[in-house]
Amino acid sequence: MAHKSANRQTEKANAAVLQKRLTPDIARFRQALPGVLICIIIALATTFIADHYGGPTLLYALLFGMALHFLSEEGRCVAGIEFSARTILRFGVALLGVRITVDQVTSLGIGPIVTVISGVILTILFGVMLARFMGLHRDMGLLTGGAVAICGASAALALSAVMPRSANSERNTILTVVGVTTLSTAAMVLYPLISSVLSLTQQQAGVFLGGTIHDVAQVVGAGYMISEETGDVATFVKLMRVTMLVPVVMCFTLLFRNAEGSQNNSKIPRLPGFLVAFVLLVIINSLGVIPTSVADGMTDLSRWCLVTAIAGLGIKTSFQKLAVVGWKPIILMVSETLFLLVLVLAFILFDVVSS
């Protein structure tokens, strides 16, 4: 009897410890649930509209979210909106790795790889220099330059996740996402016309579209608008640009950790968890061990996470805050887009791509 009594007391003690551990997690889950559900509803609504009536889903999610900005000021939705804009965002970016393999990156030869790497590095540097010339903060040049150079809204969200937080950081992220999404949509219509006027071959047109248009969806739309071969090449080149997200985020992490102060310089900078997951998924996907159905499901989940996250970011930002930004960031993004356009065309016309 004494032995059974001791066992019961031990079980009760273990249950009490487990309850203490679970209670904070359950409380956080319940606190975040209303805001997360709001963001998911916005994602569902905007995806339905984009699928049935056309247009960029991310831009719709931003605008819908911004219309509900009052939810982020106070009330039950604040915690969930923050969770969506940060944690769900990072999870979605990590899942982007399942769309890429090493074979896809190397299949087109050295020319497109040189074009992509040069375009990313030079566009970011151009963005930083132009931002300083225009009197904007260096971080704005890094964020917009990275978004234009790599993969549009997804890059803006990933880069902002490792950049220092400030009073204007979320506003700048939203502005960048709006800007690159709008420019990418315009490019989807205009760039195929440019490739036709310049009489580019199908492979050249694919490199041109994949190397210049910001968002993946617009690249696919513009490429297959011309031909299947152009669409395939454009998609691969775009995925090569997406892979540049890994070294750029690593460089941003090192840059901003070193800028925090000399007392932190002796510490080994930790890579963000979502970036490590991204790299692991690229490696695993390159080994061919992920079934196609699973990869498709993870890709869809990534897209839903990003739309949900950007809905949360939209809710956290008001039209009034964007209105005070002024014209300089817009000029900055347009200039970066034109710079990348001219640079990639130069590589193509000087036969770097065919080498």
Side-chain angles (χ1 to χ4, degrees):
M1 291 293 293
H3 181 67
K4 290 182 179 179
S5 177
N7 285 340
R8 288 197 191 98
Q9 289 178 354
T10 302
E11 289 175 1
K12 288 181 180 179
N14 291 336
V17 171
L18 182 61
Q19 182 67 22
K20 287 180 180 180
R21 290 178 180 176
L22 290 178
T23 299
D25 293 333
I26 293 174
R28 282 194 291 269
F29 173 77
R30 289 178 177 174
Q31 189 178 16
L33 186 59
V36 172
L37 288 177
I38 290 291
C39 294
I40 291 174
I41 290 170
I42 293 174
L44 289 169
T46 53
T47 300
F48 177 86
I49 293 172
D51 289 346
H52 289 78
Y53 300 101
T57 306
L58 290 177
L59 185 58
Y60 290 155
L62 272 176
L63 296 177
F64 273 50
M66 291 165 69
L68 299 175
H69 170 67
F70 65 92
L71 293 175
S72 68
E73 295 176 345
E74 59 180 354
R76 298 176 58 193
C77 296
V78 174
I81 292 168
E82 179 65 31
F83 180 84
S84 298
R86 190 168 179 84
T87 304
I88 293 180
L89 160 64
R90 295 187 174 204
F91 184 70
V93 171
L95 289 178
L96 288 174
V98 82
R99 297 161 55 173
I100 305 165
T101 66
V102 175
D103 289 339
Q104 288 176 335
V105 176
T106 59
S107 62
L108 292 177
I110 191 65
I113 294 175
V114 172
T115 302
V116 166
I117 294 175
S118 301
V120 170
I121 294 173
L122 294 177
T123 302
I124 293 175
L125 292 176
F126 175 79
V128 172
M129 291 186 295
L130 185 59
R132 288 185 171 179
F133 176 78
M134 297 176 67
L136 296 171
H137 196 279
R138 180 198 64 173
D139 290 2
M140 191 66 181
L142 287 170
L143 180 62
T144 58
V148 168
I150 303 173
C151 54
S154 299
L157 295 173
L159 295 174
S160 67
V162 298
M163 294 178 73
R165 294 286 171 180
S166 68
N168 297 325
S169 59
E170 289 172 353
R171 183 195 68 185
N172 291 341
T173 301
I174 288 293
L175 179 67
T176 302
V177 170
V178 171
V180 295
T181 303
T182 303
L183 290 170
S184 185
T185 302
M188 182 178 64
V189 178
L190 296 176
Y191 285 14
L193 299 177
I194 294 175
S195 65
S196 177
V197 170
L198 296 176
S199 300
L200 301 179
T201 66
Q202 291 192 20
Q203 180 172 336
Q204 288 176 330
V207 174
F208 169 59
L209 298 176
T212 53
I213 299 177
H214 308 326
D215 289 318
V216 175
Q218 279 80 353
V219 169
V220 173
Y224 288 106
M225 194 184 300
I226 297 177
S227 70
E228 245 184 68
E229 181 182 345
T230 300
D232 290 342
V233 174
T235 302
F236 286 145
V237 172
K238 183 60 188 177
L239 291 176
M240 289 166 58
R241 284 171 70 194
V242 174
T243 61
M244 289 296 292
L245 185 63
V246 176
V248 171
V249 171
M250 290 175 64
C251 290
F252 274 39
T253 302
L254 291 169
L255 173 66
F256 291 114
R257 283 189 180 275
N258 289 334
E260 287 177 357
S262 58
Q263 68 274 15
N264 293 331
N265 289 342
S266 59
K267 296 180 181 179
I268 299 175
R270 293 184 303 170
L271 292 177
F274 74 92
L275 179 59
V276 175
F278 181 97
V279 175
L280 289 175
L281 282 175
V282 171
I283 295 172
I284 294 171
N285 194 37
S286 299
L287 297 175
V289 297
I290 302 179
T292 303
S293 58
V294 175
D296 290 342
M298 294 175 71
T299 299
D300 290 339
L301 179 59
S302 172
R303 181 174 63 87
W304 280 107
C305 286
L306 292 178
V307 177
T308 302
I310 207 161
L313 283 171
I315 294 174
K316 294 177 67 175
T317 305
S318 67
F319 288 106
Q320 185 178 9
K321 290 180 180 178
L322 287 180
V324 301
V325 172
W327 56 269
K328 288 184 178 181
I330 298 172
I331 297 297
L332 176 63
M333 281 183 280
V334 172
S335 300
E336 290 164 344
T337 300
L338 293 176
F339 175 83
L340 182 61
L341 168 68
V342 172
L343 182 66
V344 172
L345 277 178
F347 272 98
I348 292 172
L349 297 178
F350 282 101
D351 292 329
V352 174
V353 168
S354 58
S355 61

